[in-house]
Amino acid sequence: MNRIVSLVSCLAAIVLSVALAPGEPIAPKPQSNGSVHWSYIAPIRPAAPAVKDRAWVKNPIDAFVLARLEKEGLKPAAQAAPEVLCRRVYLDLVGLPPTPAQVDAYVKDTSGDAYEKLVDSLLASPHYGERWARVWLDLARYADTNGYEKDNRRSMWKWRDWVIKSLNDDKPFTQFTIEQIAGDLLPNATVDQKIATGFHRNTMINEEGGVDQMEDRWKRQVDRVATTSQVWLGSTMQCAQCHNHKYDPFTMKDFYSMLAFWESSDEPALSVMDETHNTQRLATETEIAKLEKTLTLDTPGLAAEQEKWEKGLSVGVEWKPLEIDRFSSGEGTKLTKLRDGSLLASGKTPQRDTYTVTAKTDLTGITGFRLELLTDPSLPGNGPGRSVSGNLVLGEFKVSVARGSAKEWPVRWRRATADFSQESWPVSAAIDGKTSTGWGISPEISKDHAAVFETAGAIVAGPETTLTFTLEQAGYAQHTIGRFRLSLTTSPKPADAFAAPANIQPILAVASELRTDDQKNELAEYFRTIAPSLAATRTQIDRLKASMKKLPGVTTLVLSEKPGIDRAKTDMRIRGSYLQHGETVLANTPASLPPLPAGEKIDRLALARWLVSDANPLAARVAVNRYWETLFGRGIVETTEDFGTQGERPTHPPLLDWLACEFMHPTQVAGPNVQPWSMKAIHRTMVLSATYRQSSRVSPELEEKDPYNRLFARGPRFRLEAEAIRDNSLAIAGLLSEKMYGPSVMPYQPDGVWDVPYSGDRWVLSAGEDRYRRGIYTFWRRSAPYPTFTSFDAPSREGCTIRRTRTDTPMQALSVMNDPAFVETSKALARRMLTEASASDEKSRATCGFRLCVARQPRPAELEQLVALYSRSLEDYRKDQAAAAEMAKGVNPPAGVDPAEVAAWAVVANVLMNLDETVTKG
C-alpha cells in the first residue's frame, strides 16, 4: 500500500512541477513532528539489552532479537539440525551446497567450536567472493552489453574479477567504496584501482543513430547519482532530478551538486594484460627507458647540429586574409560568413561534405595557404568540428588557380604542417590524394587549430586571379568542419610556421645569445626529438613501443579525471529536462547531511571518502541491512532501497545501530585483530548468532503472530537466487567447474533468445568446462538476459537493483524439470547415484541422491516414495526401450546397468532436483 501511495504522490508532484514557473521548486514536506528522521542521525552503539533467557544468547545480535521476542511473549526456535545448518551456511557464505562428506565431518565434530571452525573455513574459501559478488553486481548494474537497440558487447569482466578478488581479500568496505568511486584519483593509482572505477562505467550506453551523445552522457551522470544514493545512502535521490524531493530532505540543487562530481570525468577504455604479457611489457619499458636516456645526453656534435637547424628555419611568416567571393556546401550545409572572415556551418550535419570557396587575389609569388579551424559556441563541444565530440576529419585540401580567361590549374604541394595532429590522422594525409585518410584533432578538441599547406613552387598570380579551395570531408561519418578561415602568404618556407610546437616558436624568435637557461634547455630537449643523428635511436624506441601495442590484452571501461579542473560544476535542468538549463552549481554533497571536511579538494575522491566516513549516518546502516537481508531474506529495514520517510521503519532499531557501529568499529565480538569495515567480519558475526542458527520450522503460534518472520523468531527459509539454483544443480550433479575469473561464458541457452533486430550477434555455446561454470560468469545481455535466470527473478540490469523480488510460478518448476540444462544435470546426478552409493540396492542409491540434494538423511516415508518412483519408472522404460535409450544417452553408467535402469534413476534424480527443499535454503 505504501508503494501505491508513494507512486501516486510522485505522479502528482510531476504534474505540479509542470504547472510551476521554470526553476520554481517544490518545497520538501517536513515530518509532522518537525523532528529529524531516524536514518539521518548518526548511529550510536547501544548496549545489549538484558534478557531472561541469557543462555540462548551467543552474541549481542541475539540479545536484541530476544528482548523483542520476550516483549511479544514469544520464544526463539530451537537450533536447526546440524545437517540443515551446515547446508544453510554453505549456501549463504559460498553459494554452493556441501558434499555429504563435508556434512558428515561437521556432524561428527563434537568440539565446542565446530560450527565456528566451519564458518571460518567458508570465509576463507575463494568461492566466498563469487557468492557475495553476485549481490554487488545487481547494485552495480553489471552487464556484458551496452543496452538499447543493437545492445553491442562491452568488455567489463575485469571489473567483475576485481570485485570477486576484493571480497576474497576482505578489502575494507571503505577502500572497496573509494576505489570504485575514485580509484583513479588515488596517489600513484594502480591498474587495479583504475579498473575498480568500472563500477560507474556499468551504465547503459545508447548507440542508436541520431542520438545526441552529449545528452546520453548526461543521462549516464543522472544514473550515477541515482545509483550512488541508493547503494550507499539508501535514498531515492533521483526523485530530485525534476523537483525537490517530496518526502526526504534532498533538493534539486543537492541532486545536481552530486551530479557535478562526474562532470569532470572522462570515460576511456583501459588496456589490461595478463601476467606473462605484463612481464614482457615491463622488460620492453625498461629497454625503452635506457634508450630514452641516451636522448638526454648533451654532446658537441648535437649542439652543432642544432645550430645548423636553427639557421635553416624561417619562422617569421606574414599571413594575409582572403577576400572570399563565393562559398557553398555539396550537401546543403548552411555556411555563414562572419565579421572576422571565417565561415560557420549550421543546419543538419551530413555524413560527409565538400566545401567550395572562391576568392580573388592580386598577389604574386604565393608560397602557402593557412587553414584555421575555429571554435564556436554553436558547435558540439564548442567545435571546431561538427561531430558529437567536436572533432573533424579533413580528407583532402585542394586549391586551383585561374587567371583571367586562362584555363584553371591545380596547385601542387611540397608539404603540410599543423599545430596539432591526431594520432593516425596527420595533416599530411590531407594532401595525399585519398579522401579515406585525413587530418583530425582529437583529443585536442574545443580548441582553435591551424594547418599550413606549402606549395611546390611559388604561384605567379596577379590581377584577375581566382583561387578555388575544395575542402573534402569524407573520411569519417559526420566529422565535418564547423568553422574555418583561409589566408595566404608570400613568405619563404611558410610550413616552418609549425616546424616546432607552439611553446618552442617564441624561443626560436629570440636570438640565441639572449635566451635564458630555461629557454635553452627547453629548445635542446625539443631538438633531440627531431635531430637526424638520433633518428636511429628514436626509430628503435618507436619499434619497441609498437611491439608493446601488439602484446595481447583486453580492455575494460574506466573513469579518469579531466586535467586542470579545480572543482567540477554543472547546470541544473529545469524540470529535469536536459535542454532547459538552470542555475550553475558546484560539486557538493546534500546539504541535509554532514558536510565534506574543510580544506579538502572537492572531487570524486572527496565524495568517496565522505560516503564511508563515520560522519555519514547512512552508509554503514544501509550496508549491514543489505547483508542481513541476504542472509535472513528480509532486512531489518524491509525497504532496503529506501531509508527515507516513505520507507519502512526498522523492526529492531537498536540492533541495526549496533550492527552499523560494529561494522565501522568492530569489538571482540568479531574476533581478535579485526579491521574496521570488514565485510567478512560482519558476515561472521551474523551467521554465528543463535538467531541465524534457529530452525526454520514454523509453529502455529508464530504462523499466527509473525507469518513473515519480522521478529526473527525462527531461522531463514526462502528460495535460492537464480544463479545459485543453477550452481546448486551443477554442484549436485558433479559437473560444476571451479575455474575462476576471465571472460564471460555461454552455457546452454535455447535457440532464438538472441534473435533481436539490428544485431547479428549470436549466442555460441562455450566449449568444455566453461559451459559448467558458476552463474556469476554467465554472459549477461541486457536486452535478452539468460532465460533461466529471468525465470527465477533475476533483473535485466538496465539499472541498479537493490533487492530482487521472489516469486513462485509454475514456469520455475517447469524450467527445473524440462530445461535441457537441468535434464543434463539430472542425468549426471543419476550417474552419481549409480556409482557413489554405498551399495547397489535401490534404497542406498535413492539415499545417495537425496543427500547430495538436501544434505540430510531421508525419512523412511520419503525413501519409500523415491524407491516406488524408481520402480514405476523402471517398469515403464522396460516397455519402451527407445525412450529408455534416449533418456540414458550420455550418462555412461557402470557396467551391468541397462538403459532402463539408468533412465529410471534419471527420473528420480529429476524429481530430487525439483524438490522444494533442493531449491530452498532451509
Side-chain angles (χ1 to χ4, degrees):
M1 185 65 185
N2 282 341
R3 294 182 190 174
I4 296 173
V5 172
S6 178
L7 177 60
V8 172
S9 300
C10 188
L11 290 172
I14 294 171
V15 173
L16 179 57
S17 72
V18 173
L20 294 172
E24 184 177 346
I26 298 174
K29 184 178 179 180
Q31 295 193 97
S32 57
N33 60 5
S35 63
V36 178
H37 186 59
W38 66 268
S39 68
Y40 304 128
I41 302 170
I44 298 173
R45 187 190 299 267
V51 293
K52 297 175 184 176
D53 187 6
R54 288 180 293 179
W56 185 77
V57 174
K58 295 188 182 298
N59 68 33
I61 289 175
D62 305 323
F64 291 107
V65 171
L66 184 57
R68 177 72 187 277
L69 292 177
E70 290 178 345
K71 181 180 177 182
E72 300 288 338
L74 297 171
K75 292 183 178 181
Q79 182 165 305
E83 299 92 341
V84 173
L85 183 57
C86 180
R87 180 174 182 267
R88 178 191 297 171
V89 77
Y90 260 88
L91 291 170
D92 274 338
L93 293 185
V94 298
L96 297 172
T99 64
Q102 289 168 329
V103 174
D104 291 343
Y106 169 65
V107 172
K108 291 175 182 176
D109 188 346
T110 57
S111 61
D113 60 349
Y115 179 66
E116 187 173 340
K117 288 186 295 185
L118 173 63
V119 168
D120 288 340
S121 69
L122 294 175
L123 290 171
S125 166
H127 299 306
Y128 168 86
E130 292 176 318
R131 185 269 177 275
W132 286 91
R134 205 290 303 150
V135 181
W136 195 255
L137 298 195
D138 273 6
L139 305 179
R141 63 274 194 245
Y142 171 84
D144 294 295
T145 62
N146 289 334
Y148 300 108
E149 199 188 43
K150 294 183 179 65
D151 200 13
N152 288 330
R153 300 190 189 200
R154 61 170 56 166
S155 179
M156 283 300 296
W157 57 267
K158 278 286 185 182
W159 174 82
R160 179 191 59 205
D161 285 359
W162 176 90
V163 173
I164 296 170
K165 290 174 183 174
S166 296
L167 293 170
N168 278 333
D169 293 342
D170 197 20
K171 184 170 288 185
F173 187 72
T174 46
Q175 193 66 15
F176 185 67
T177 295
I178 289 167
E179 291 183 9
Q180 291 184 87
I181 299 292
D184 59 306
L185 296 178
L186 291 169
N188 303 311
T190 64
V191 171
D192 277 353
Q193 287 170 335
K194 292 175 183 177
I195 290 173
T197 63
F199 177 88
H200 271 317
R201 291 303 312 279
N202 282 315
T203 53
M204 296 207 298
I205 300 174
N206 194 341
E207 301 170 298
E208 294 180 40
V211 166
D212 185 332
Q213 293 300 323
M214 297 304 291
E215 181 176 8
D216 188 54
R217 180 180 183 273
W218 179 77
K219 288 179 179 178
R220 294 197 291 275
Q221 314 292 45
V222 168
D223 176 89
R224 285 163 185 153
V225 178
T227 299
T228 301
S229 61
Q230 281 196 293
V231 172
W232 281 278
L233 304 178
S235 300
T236 56
M237 260 188 81
Q238 193 167 2
C239 295
Q241 176 187 343
C242 307
H243 52 75
N244 290 354
H245 204 296
K246 277 185 65 65
Y247 301 103
D248 297 331
F250 302 120
T251 65
M252 279 186 75
K253 186 172 182 179
D254 289 335
F255 180 88
Y256 288 101
S257 295
M258 283 279 281
L259 186 147
F261 280 108
W262 286 277
E263 287 286 56
S264 57
S265 300
D266 277 329
E267 300 181 336
L270 178 68
S271 181
V272 186
M273 297 177 186
D274 60 29
E275 276 192 38
T276 301
H277 294 109
N278 194 48
T279 300
Q280 294 178 27
R281 179 185 63 81
L282 292 172
T284 305
E285 286 179 344
T286 301
E287 190 175 352
I288 289 171
K290 290 178 182 177
L291 291 170
E292 287 180 335
K293 190 173 182 180
T294 66
L295 296 181
T296 66
L297 300 176
D298 292 322
T299 65
L302 192 62
E305 192 177 5
Q306 178 180 328
E307 185 179 354
K308 183 179 178 182
W309 168 73
E310 287 188 51
K311 289 179 179 178
L313 287 177
S314 174
V315 294
V317 181
E318 182 181 356
W319 296 100
K320 296 179 174 60
L322 279 166
E323 290 297 327
I324 294 175
D325 188 22
R326 296 188 305 276
F327 47 87
S328 64
S329 157
E331 298 294 334
T333 298
K334 182 180 179 182
L335 294 174
T336 304
K337 185 178 179 181
L338 305 182
R339 290 183 179 180
D340 62 357
S342 64
L343 296 176
L344 177 64
S346 60
K348 184 178 179 181
T349 305
Q351 291 294 306
R352 48 190 52 82
D353 208 342
T354 298
Y355 299 159
T356 304
V357 178
T358 61
K360 301 288 188 182
T361 184
D362 56 3
L363 286 178
T364 189
I366 299 170
T367 56
F369 301 93
R370 180 175 66 177
L371 170 65
E372 294 175 87
L373 304 175
L374 306 172
T375 56
D376 192 88
S378 68
L379 301 173
N382 213 32
R386 301 189 72 196
S387 74
V388 291
S389 66
N391 196 12
L392 55 88
V393 175
L394 174 61
E396 283 294 301
F397 182 82
K398 300 178 180 178
V399 181
S400 60
V401 183
R403 190 165 56 242
S405 59
K407 186 178 179 180
E408 186 178 63
W409 76 90
V411 173
R412 289 182 297 176
W413 305 114
R414 173 176 286 119
R415 56 177 174 154
T417 58
D419 66 331
F420 177 80
S421 286
Q422 180 176 338
E423 185 178 358
S424 301
W425 297 87
V427 70
S428 59
I431 57 172
D432 65 0
K434 296 181 287 188
T435 55
S436 59
T437 61
W439 176 41
I441 56 171
S442 180
E444 297 292 318
I445 52 178
S446 303
K447 298 178 182 179
D448 294 340
H449 292 285
V452 172
F453 302 90
E454 186 176 319
T455 62
I459 299 173
V460 181
E464 299 184 18
T465 297
T466 300
L467 300 171
T468 301
F469 297 84
T470 305
L471 281 63
E472 296 182 359
Q473 305 146 76
Y476 212 71
Q478 292 190 315
H479 278 51
T480 58
I481 297 173
R483 183 182 169 202
F484 66 99
R485 182 167 55 203
L486 294 162
S487 52
L488 52 76
T489 186
T490 58
S491 300
K493 298 181 180 180
D496 279 354
F498 298 122
N503 62 310
I504 299 299
Q505 291 180 40
I507 301 174
L508 290 169
V510 178
S512 58
E513 65 273 10
L514 299 178
R515 292 171 189 160
T516 65
D517 289 342
D518 287 344
Q519 288 176 323
K520 291 176 182 177
N521 291 335
E522 188 174 0
L523 182 58
E525 185 177 343
Y526 167 72
F527 180 70
R528 292 188 192 98
T529 67
I530 62 169
S533 63
L534 298 175
T537 302
R538 293 196 302 271
T539 300
Q540 175 71 350
I541 291 172
D542 291 342
R543 185 186 65 78
L544 290 170
K545 288 181 177 179
S547 71
M548 282 176 55
K549 289 182 179 179
K550 293 179 182 178
L551 288 174
V554 297
T555 59
T556 188
L557 305 182
V558 297
L559 287 177
S560 66
E561 197 73 354
K562 296 176 181 176
I565 297 178
D566 184 53
R567 184 174 180 182
K569 59 185 178 181
T570 195
D571 289 348
M572 293 174 65
R573 298 310 204 274
I574 298 169
R575 301 189 183 99
S577 170
Y578 171 72
L579 297 176
Q580 296 190 59
H581 290 250
E583 175 190 352
T584 299
V585 294
L586 297 172
N588 211 343
T589 51
S592 57
L593 295 175
L596 291 164
E600 275 192 18
K601 182 179 180 182
I602 298 179
D603 56 10
R604 274 186 293 116
L605 184 55
L607 170 66
R609 288 170 172 158
W610 174 84
L611 283 172
V612 285
S613 66
D614 285 4
N616 184 349
L618 289 162
R621 278 192 182 117
V622 170
V624 296
N625 187 67
R626 194 158 52 233
Y627 301 147
W628 187 274
E629 178 192 63
T630 304
L631 293 171
F632 289 87
R634 184 183 303 276
I636 298 169
V637 176
E638 185 171 3
T639 52
T640 323
E641 71 284 355
D642 188 0
F643 273 51
T645 60
Q646 295 303 293
E648 295 285 343
R649 288 190 62 82
T651 55
H652 299 69
L655 172 59
L656 181 64
D657 282 1
W658 184 87
L659 286 169
C661 293
E662 181 69 8
F663 188 34
M664 293 186 287
H665 303 291
T667 61
Q668 288 301 310
V669 172
N673 305 317
V674 173
Q675 60 186 342
W677 296 85
S678 165
M679 291 179 271
K680 283 188 177 182
I682 201 68
H683 294 160
R684 183 179 188 272
T685 300
M686 289 179 181
V687 300
L688 287 179
S689 67
T691 304
Y692 177 83
R693 302 189 209 188
Q694 294 176 98
S695 167
S696 60
R697 291 184 178 276
V698 188
S699 67
E701 184 184 18
L702 281 178
E703 180 72 32
E704 180 183 351
K705 289 190 174 182
D706 187 19
Y708 298 109
N709 200 24
R710 294 177 187 233
L711 300 178
F712 307 111
R714 58 184 181 274
R717 184 181 184 278
F718 51 91
R719 199 202 66 222
L720 300 176
E721 299 153 328
E723 295 90 335
I725 288 174
R726 180 175 174 276
D727 294 349
N728 192 46
S729 167
L730 289 170
I732 290 168
L735 295 175
L736 183 68
S737 165
E738 294 197 358
K739 179 180 176 182
M740 296 181 66
Y741 310 123
S744 296
V745 296
M746 295 183 175
Y748 171 80
Q749 175 175 279
D751 293 335
V753 175
W754 273 27
D755 288 347
V756 294
Y758 311 113
S759 175
D761 205 356
R762 290 290 177 265
W763 183 275
V764 179
L765 186 64
S766 294
E769 69 172 319
D770 278 351
R771 70 180 65 177
Y772 304 117
R773 296 186 65 190
R774 293 193 69 167
I776 195 169
Y777 302 111
T778 298
F779 192 95
W780 203 287
R781 186 173 192 177
R782 285 186 163 110
S783 59
Y786 191 57
T788 301
F789 292 168
T790 56
S791 294
F792 288 96
D793 308 316
S796 66
R797 297 216 177 118
E798 293 171 86
C800 171
T801 302
I802 299 296
R803 56 174 173 156
R804 295 184 181 183
T805 56
R806 275 195 299 272
T807 61
D808 190 4
T809 68
M811 179 62 74
Q812 294 164 355
L814 290 171
S815 293
V816 177
M817 291 186 71
N818 301 312
D819 186 312
F822 284 101
V823 171
E824 181 182 16
T825 57
S826 295
K827 289 182 178 183
L829 174 58
R831 187 180 192 286
R832 294 192 74 180
M833 294 160 70
L834 288 165
T835 58
E836 297 179 20
S838 58
S840 58
D841 61 285
E842 288 87 351
K843 287 188 176 181
S844 296
R845 285 172 173 168
T847 299
C848 173
F850 192 90
R851 292 207 64 204
L852 284 168
C853 288
V854 301
R856 66 177 175 84
Q857 293 283 347
R859 301 181 186 94
E862 293 169 330
L863 191 56
E864 184 180 330
Q865 288 183 350
L866 291 174
V867 171
L869 173 63
Y870 169 73
S871 298
R872 290 195 305 272
S873 301
L874 179 63
E875 183 180 348
D876 291 340
Y877 279 118
R878 294 269 194 228
K879 297 174 183 177
D880 190 345
Q881 290 295 323
E886 181 63 28
M887 189 63 166
K889 188 184 295 182
V891 173
N892 189 24
V897 180
D898 66 39
E901 290 179 85
V902 174
W905 283 119
V907 169
V908 174
N910 187 261
V911 169
L912 288 172
M913 286 284 196
N914 207 18
L915 290 176
D916 180 67
E917 193 172 348
T918 303
V919 297
T920 300
K921 182 186 77 172

